[in-house]
Amino acid sequence: MMLASAVRNLSRRSFSTSKAVSAQQLTVRDALNAALDEEMERDEKVFLLGEEVAQYDGAYKVSRGLWKKYGDKRVIDTPITEMGFAGIAVGAAMAGLRPVCEFMTFNFSMQAIDQVINSAAKTFYMSAGTVNVPIVFRGPNGAAAGVAAQHSQCFGAWYSHCPGLKVVSPYDSEDAKGLLKAAIRDPDPVVVLENEMLYGVGYPVSDQVLDKNFVLPIGKAKIMRPGKHITLVAHSKSVETALQAANELAGKGIEAEVINLRSLRPLDSETIFKSVQKTHHLVTVEQGWPQSGIGSEICARIMEHETFFHLDAPIWRVTGVDVPMPYAKTLEAAALPQVPDVVTAVNKVLGVK
């Protein structure tokens, strides 16, 4: 009897339809690949260009299989000249196509920043709204591992500073697919700041995310974890750091609300305001440098809004250290925000010893 009962219980468990069990794992790399594939299939005006995106399947295999499926005219290998192929992409967008311009790393986008800012971002305004530039600039942004100062910079603050651009910074697979699809469909230039360290990470996704019609709105943040004592705001890989810190803090009875910004421009101030009005405390987390960073902008917006009067303590920023990224592994770790840094900041803001 006991054996039969155990078998029945096991059978019931194996047919569970809860989200936790039924959710499928999808890597960020495959989410981006699916977004590109679905949008290229949906709209023949969409094409991809960049270094090694075609025959090599992409430096990070994000464009795997697309060249074989869509051919030379829609998946284009370029020379190593960011200024050149970014200019070609902007011109194609002005002529009515929808290019996706991949930078092997956003550090190299500095070679093309005149095209990104002066040609792509400003044209709609300078043409009095007569010329749209529906282009996506995408690739890995921020710190990787062991690639030193010239390959480890975060450009979130740089590009979100510029009117005429939209800037998104996805964290998980849901973000990556939904935001890239939204960027490709957008009538204006969108910068998609991915993270190399997250490409191979798998995250659970629902059937809705896997649907070809799944698109996320640009400019809307997501509350990853509700809380009542303090708000943690982050983007890209720093969301992971904030979530890990929140788990550690929960063990001490501190419930942190974690906000994944998703979009840096436009910035979802309203979600931040509502959270801070509830928790009365705020810590921002980012891998970029402190001066004029995303955290600085959030601080300014709080100061200039009625939400300032809801604060019970000063806002605290947890950022990358104000130095070029070191090459040594130990120094690299010291230059980036770690979970203990966030926990320490929360303790200071809350007055916990």
Side-chain angles (χ1 to χ4, degrees):
M1 288 293 289
M2 289 179 64
L3 180 61
S5 176
V7 170
R8 281 198 300 273
N9 289 335
L10 186 60
S11 299
R12 282 199 293 270
R13 287 176 62 191
S14 66
F15 284 104
S16 170
T17 56
S18 69
K19 288 184 179 179
V21 175
S22 64
Q24 302 175 57
Q25 290 284 320
L26 182 69
T27 65
V28 171
R29 175 184 291 108
D30 288 341
L32 293 166
N33 180 267
L36 289 167
D37 188 15
E38 289 168 11
E39 293 305 303
M40 291 179 76
E41 189 176 78
R42 176 179 175 270
D43 185 352
E44 63 182 13
K45 293 180 180 178
V46 177
F47 71 99
L48 174 67
L49 77 167
E51 295 154 358
E52 299 185 345
V53 299
Q55 296 186 40
Y56 189 64
D57 276 342
Y60 305 97
K61 306 306 176 191
V62 169
S63 55
R64 184 177 54 230
L66 298 181
W67 175 64
K68 290 179 181 177
K69 183 173 181 179
Y70 296 103
D72 290 322
K73 288 188 176 181
R74 297 188 64 196
V75 185
I76 304 167
D77 278 331
T78 66
I80 303 173
T81 168
E82 282 78 13
M83 174 63 89
F85 67 74
I88 289 170
V90 172
M94 290 178 178
L97 297 178
R98 289 185 171 271
V100 178
C101 177
E102 176 181 309
F103 295 120
M104 194 177 290
T105 158
F106 261 95
N107 298 270
F108 301 157
S109 74
M110 293 294 93
Q111 301 290 332
I113 199 165
D114 182 57
Q115 300 290 3
V116 177
I117 305 302
N118 282 327
S119 298
K122 297 177 182 177
T123 293
F124 183 71
Y125 179 86
M126 294 179 72
S127 68
T130 60
V131 180
N132 284 94
V133 187
I135 186 171
V136 173
F137 299 102
R138 55 155 294 270
N141 170 69
V147 290
Q150 294 173 329
H151 297 73
S152 301
Q153 190 173 329
C154 177
F155 289 90
W158 287 56
Y159 285 117
S160 64
H161 180 68
C162 303
L165 289 179
K166 292 171 184 165
V167 183
V168 297
S169 183
Y171 160 55
D172 58 16
S173 303
E174 178 180 320
D175 292 357
K177 185 179 181 188
L179 291 172
L180 180 54
K181 286 170 73 73
I184 293 170
R185 296 184 188 189
D186 201 275
D188 298 307
V190 183
V191 172
V192 181
L193 301 172
E194 301 157 10
N195 187 283
E196 179 184 337
M197 302 304 290
L198 296 175
Y199 280 150
V201 181
Y203 294 93
V205 293
S206 65
D207 290 338
Q208 181 187 8
V209 174
L210 297 173
D211 190 276
K212 289 186 176 183
N213 295 315
F214 177 74
V215 179
L216 287 173
I218 293 175
K220 185 64 181 170
K222 179 184 180 183
I223 296 175
M224 303 292 288
R225 176 187 178 122
K228 59 183 179 180
H229 296 127
I230 192 163
T231 301
L232 304 179
V233 180
H235 70 95
S236 188
K237 197 172 189 302
S238 292
V239 176
E240 176 184 281
T241 309
L243 287 169
Q244 290 172 349
N247 284 336
E248 185 173 324
L249 290 163
K252 303 173 183 177
I254 299 171
E255 292 298 329
E257 183 149 292
V258 178
I259 296 177
N260 171 10
L261 285 174
R262 285 183 167 172
S263 177
L264 304 181
R265 185 182 184 105
L267 189 68
D268 186 3
S269 301
E270 200 57 40
T271 295
I272 300 170
F273 293 158
K274 287 180 180 177
S275 179
V276 173
Q277 287 171 20
K278 177 179 69 174
T279 67
H280 309 292
H281 301 90
L282 174 62
V283 169
T284 65
V285 190
E286 62 187 308
Q287 290 194 338
W289 292 317
Q291 181 162 322
S292 309
I294 300 302
S296 302
E297 176 64 22
I298 292 170
C299 289
R301 294 197 186 192
I302 295 281
M303 289 282 289
E304 295 164 355
H305 189 263
E306 188 263 339
T307 302
F308 173 74
F309 299 102
H310 292 263
L311 285 171
D312 288 343
I315 302 169
W316 200 281
R317 293 177 299 153
V318 178
T319 71
V321 176
D322 198 20
V323 295
M325 180 63 71
Y327 174 70
K329 189 173 183 179
T330 52
L331 293 177
E332 181 183 73
L336 292 169
Q338 307 295 338
V339 171
D341 301 321
V342 180
V343 172
T344 299
V346 169
N347 289 337
K348 286 181 177 180
V349 170
L350 293 178
V352 176
K353 293 184 179 179

